[in-house]
Amino acid sequence: KMTMEGEAGAPSNSNRFVNVYPLDSYKIGQKDERKEKDSSVPARMTRMEQLYESEGLRRSVEGVLLVHQHKHPHVLLLQIGSSFYKLPGGRMKPGETEVEGLKRKLVNKLAAPNLEKEELPQWEVGEELATWWRPNFDSHQYPYLPAHVTRPKECKKLFLVHLPETCTFAIARNHNLVAVPLYELYDNHQRYGPVIASIPLLLARLSTVCA
């Protein structure tokens, strides 16, 4: 069993083996449509700027969930429309730890509604894979904080999420949950953006065990 948290609620980095289970071990159901908060990237940047004025730096978390097909690891992505993909996650609430925020977002994006706590899928938040920074209110993000940037607008952290051997996902009707192989993601910035395209390299230091 993978270690979930270290001291003070921080994910552990001690275990380098990741158990990955077949895609067909998981059931995928539907729930009510989820209305997108922003109709376009400029609209999202405008909303981010407004929130920055009242809350300061945007802190967000995203989860990397792995399955396999024919013993090759795939990453689970939410597909919105025909060409937009994102990792499950989102903005943290003030005072939340990263683990708390990501668990809340996973339930919100991937779990059936109105479940009791003991009925929720047993997702385990593992090690931090990367930190990305957004210096300005635009689409550019970097896996480091540029030296000249003193007031970044967003700090986004990616965490590995260990799935149980089987569980049921519930996805908004206007979204799709798709499993994309690592070779499709690798260096494919044009289709998936720099954050998702970096995942194969981030996982290279881990050993995946395809059950």
Side-chain angles (χ1 to χ4, degrees):
K1 186 176 180 180
M2 303 296 290
T3 301
M4 179 177 169
E5 297 178 24
E7 296 181 0
S12 169
N13 292 331
S14 60
N15 202 323
R16 295 289 176 171
F17 291 91
V18 184
N19 292 318
V20 182
Y21 302 102
L23 176 61
D24 58 15
S25 297
Y26 303 96
K27 296 179 180 179
I28 302 176
Q30 291 187 327
K31 55 186 177 183
D32 291 344
E33 287 192 10
R34 183 179 181 86
K35 184 178 180 181
E36 293 300 311
K37 294 180 180 179
D38 308 300
S39 59
S40 64
V41 173
R44 182 169 182 265
M45 293 301 108
T46 298
R47 183 169 63 88
M48 187 182 296
E49 186 170 4
Q50 292 170 346
L51 286 171
Y52 183 85
E53 294 301 321
S54 59
E55 299 181 5
L57 175 71
R58 175 187 171 99
R59 298 165 58 239
S60 58
V61 284
E62 294 182 344
V64 177
L65 286 64
L66 298 177
V67 298
H68 78 77
Q69 288 186 286
H70 309 295
K71 304 295 184 181
H72 186 80
H74 289 52
V75 178
L76 294 180
L77 300 177
L78 289 168
Q79 181 182 4
I80 303 169
S82 61
S83 59
F84 182 72
Y85 300 87
K86 66 180 183 179
L87 294 164
R91 183 168 65 95
M92 295 168 57
K93 292 181 178 179
E96 272 188 326
T97 68
E98 291 150 351
V99 170
E100 290 169 343
L102 182 52
K103 282 186 173 183
R104 177 177 58 81
K105 285 296 183 179
L106 291 174
V107 169
N108 184 266
K109 301 291 179 67
L110 302 179
N114 304 318
L115 291 179
E116 298 295 331
K117 186 176 181 180
E118 60 272 12
E119 296 176 306
L120 293 171
Q122 297 302 303
W123 298 313
E124 295 187 6
V125 178
E127 71 173 62
E128 180 182 328
L129 296 175
T131 300
W132 285 77
W133 297 89
R134 189 187 304 273
N136 302 298
F137 296 114
D138 57 34
S139 60
H140 295 97
Q141 299 177 77
Y142 302 91
Y144 58 89
L145 183 61
H148 67 281
V149 176
T150 58
R151 297 184 64 194
K153 306 307 183 280
E154 181 179 14
C155 176
K156 175 188 295 183
K157 294 192 176 185
L158 271 59
F159 290 92
L160 188 65
V161 177
H162 305 288
L163 293 175
E165 290 187 43
T166 184
C167 71
T168 298
F169 297 105
I171 310 302
R173 288 192 180 92
N174 55 331
H175 295 176
N176 288 316
L177 186 65
V178 297
V180 184
L182 294 185
Y183 61 78
E184 165 70 14
L185 297 179
Y186 176 67
D187 207 28
N188 197 345
H189 295 208
Q190 185 172 1
R191 184 169 188 181
Y192 298 102
V195 176
I196 293 175
S198 73
I199 290 174
L201 283 176
L202 298 176
L203 296 176
R205 66 180 187 269
L206 305 174
S207 295
T208 54
V209 180
C210 294

